[in-house]
Amino acid sequence: AEVVIPAPVSSPAISPTATVKKPEDAKPASPTSAGPPACAGHAPVLVRVPVPTVPAVSPKTGSEMLRSFNSMKRHPSVMAQYLRERVPPQLLASLFNRAPIEADDLGTLLGALKSNLGDAGAGFTCENGADYLRALLKTAGAATQLSMLSSTEQAIIEEVLSGLPAGTASTKALRQALRCALG
């Protein structure tokens, strides 16, 4: 039987849990075993998880983008860089023009937008964030998916909107479209 033992996390590259075998279930190591058995009195082994890299090419499908997002979930800065460098707003709209982006995945994307806004060195502005929001409004089922966002995710949208020039026609149009979609 295996026991999952929580381990203190000292960096994002260390897994928050480690799996060890109970000493009474441990068997002697054999040449074909995966490693030495866990010994009583020893601390669990922490497994280092490598930081994912940003793919070299832009995604061709929405599912490819979401697969990349899922591999980067524990590394928000890498996910933000991926969104910024490989998924421009026009591509985002085309990736989800037939099938909607699910609300959970939309929340993940909004988290990457927030990370980009918080990274001063990235050169990502609220206007860039607004371009992504405009692209999201062009996706299939946008109103339905946006209406399912949590209050935290809606706050990210408000943060982007608050950084835009208030009196412009494009800002007013975006606010109106999002107000209708968010309900």
Side-chain angles (χ1 to χ4, degrees):
E2 292 187 339
V3 176
V4 176
I5 301 174
V9 177
S10 59
S11 83
I14 298 177
S15 172
T17 60
T19 304
V20 290
K21 292 189 177 210
K22 289 183 181 179
E24 64 270 11
D25 295 339
K27 296 178 183 155
S30 69
T32 59
S33 70
C39 298
H42 287 106
V45 176
L46 296 178
V47 179
R48 294 207 180 269
V49 178
V51 176
T53 59
V54 173
V57 296
S58 294
K60 303 276 188 266
T61 64
S63 61
E64 185 180 339
M65 185 195 88
L66 295 175
R67 203 171 28 255
S68 294
F69 266 22
N70 284 330
S71 72
M72 300 173 196
K73 271 190 177 176
R74 295 184 188 263
H75 306 279
S77 63
V78 177
M79 187 185 306
Q81 180 185 0
Y82 173 67
L83 182 67
R84 189 174 60 243
E85 294 178 2
R86 300 288 181 245
V87 188
Q90 304 84 353
L91 178 60
L92 179 65
S94 70
L95 292 176
F96 295 100
N97 65 351
R98 291 189 184 142
I101 183 171
E102 296 297 325
D104 293 344
D105 299 324
L106 179 55
T108 302
L109 185 130
L110 289 171
L113 274 181
K114 182 175 176 70
S115 293
N116 274 320
L117 289 171
D119 185 0
F124 195 88
T125 64
C126 285
E127 188 57 49
N128 297 121
D131 291 340
Y132 280 95
L133 294 178
R134 286 183 192 97
L136 285 172
L137 286 169
K138 295 176 186 174
T139 61
T144 303
Q145 299 307 325
L146 287 167
S147 70
M148 291 192 275
L149 293 176
S150 69
S151 58
T152 304
E153 294 159 345
Q154 289 180 12
I156 295 170
I157 292 173
E158 285 301 322
E159 182 180 341
V160 170
L161 293 174
S162 68
L164 296 174
T168 66
S170 65
T171 300
K172 288 179 183 177
L174 180 59
R175 284 182 188 276
Q176 179 62 33
L178 287 167
R179 191 176 298 123
C180 290
L182 293 171

